[in-house]
DNA sequence: CTCTTGATCTTCT
DNA sequence: GAAGATCAAGAGC
């Protein structure tokens, strides 16, 4: 019998339990793939995370590699906080700080599937196509309204809201995008087959 | 479809 | 003074 009706074109996944800050207090290489499928909202706008990259303090490509500076200071703080930086003078990029305080490791949020508040995202991005709204770290910050004002904020309190995924999705890994150091490390993670990635794997 | 380039500015050397 | 965890538009195929 047809107990599974054809899915709607845009289905809204059930949300798991809210993620606590302690979720981030472990290896950045464990947190990064575990964020695939989680839901990120900023003031109620966002969707399902489909692409991230891990940056470890021993990694030459990490902002924290050469020690603390005014820009990367929040990376050296406790886990479970946001780290937002300016990219190429134009865009914002959002990270989640991981591991014990002082580790200076973080996950870059690179792409998500727009689910909640799509009208607001389309307005901010000046675009209609869902695929282009959040398919890149700068794009998703624009769509979610993330700026430097959102840096160094706890991820388990407003305006942020994070929910665990339900079940375990198929995750793929590959080399990171747009970097010039440590280019061969396979620390980019994505939801297998997602149409909302910044680039295919 | 892929490749190239300009925009724009903060950060660190 | 140069580089950079990007993006969009335009040219070429």
């Amino acid at each position: 019998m047809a107990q599974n009706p054809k899915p709607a074109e845009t289905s809204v996944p059930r949300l798991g339990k809210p993620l606590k800050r302690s979720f981030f207090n472990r290896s950045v290489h464990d947190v990064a793939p575990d964020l695939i499928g989680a839901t990120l909202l900023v003031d109620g706008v966002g969707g399902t995370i489909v692409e991230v990259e891990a940056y470890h303090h021993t990694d030459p490509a990490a902002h924290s590699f050469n020690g603390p500076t005014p820009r990367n200071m929040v990376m050296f703080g406790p886990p479970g906080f946001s780290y937002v930086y300016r990219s190429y003078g134009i865009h914002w990029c959002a990270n989640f700080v991981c591991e014990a305080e002082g580790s200076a490791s973080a996950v870059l949020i690179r792409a998500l599937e727009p689910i909640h508040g799509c009208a607001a995202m389309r307005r901010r991005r000046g675009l209609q196509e869902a695929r282009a709204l959040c398919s890149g770290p700068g794009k998703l910050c624009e769509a979610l309204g993330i700026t430097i004002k959102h840096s160094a904020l706890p991820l388990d309190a407003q305006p942020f809201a994070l929910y665990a995924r339900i079940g375990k999705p198929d995750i793929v890994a590959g080399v990171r995008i747009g970097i010039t150091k440590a280019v061969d490390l396979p620390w980019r993670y994505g939801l297998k087959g997602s149409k909302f990635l910044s680039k295919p794997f």
Side-chain angles (χ1 to χ4, degrees), chain A residues 10 46-48 112-116 118 121 129-134 196:
Chain A
T10 306
T48 307
L112 57 79
E113 174 175 352
I115 305 275
H116 305 275
C118 288
M121 290 191 264
E129 317 101 79
R131 291 186 62 158
L133 290 180
C134 301
F196 301 94

Side-chain angles (χ1 to χ4, degrees), chain A residues 53-82:
Chain A
E53 285 176 357
Y55 288 87
H56 192 256
H57 65 287
T58 58
D59 165 11
H63 286 175
S64 55
F65 181 69
N66 288 314
T69 67
R71 177 178 70 158
N72 67 22
M73 180 179 59
V74 60
M75 282 186 77
F76 288 82
F81 282 74
S82 56

Side-chain angles (χ1 to χ4, degrees), chain A residues 23-65:
Chain A
F23 175 86
F24 299 93
N25 190 10
R26 56 202 173 105
S27 168
V28 71
H29 297 302
D30 293 332
V31 174
D34 280 354
L35 280 171
I36 300 299
T39 294
L40 166 64
L41 304 178
V42 177
D43 287 322
V45 176
T48 307
I49 296 172
V50 298
E51 182 184 339
V52 302
E53 285 176 357
Y55 288 87
H56 192 256
H57 65 287
T58 58
D59 165 11
H63 286 175
S64 55
F65 181 69

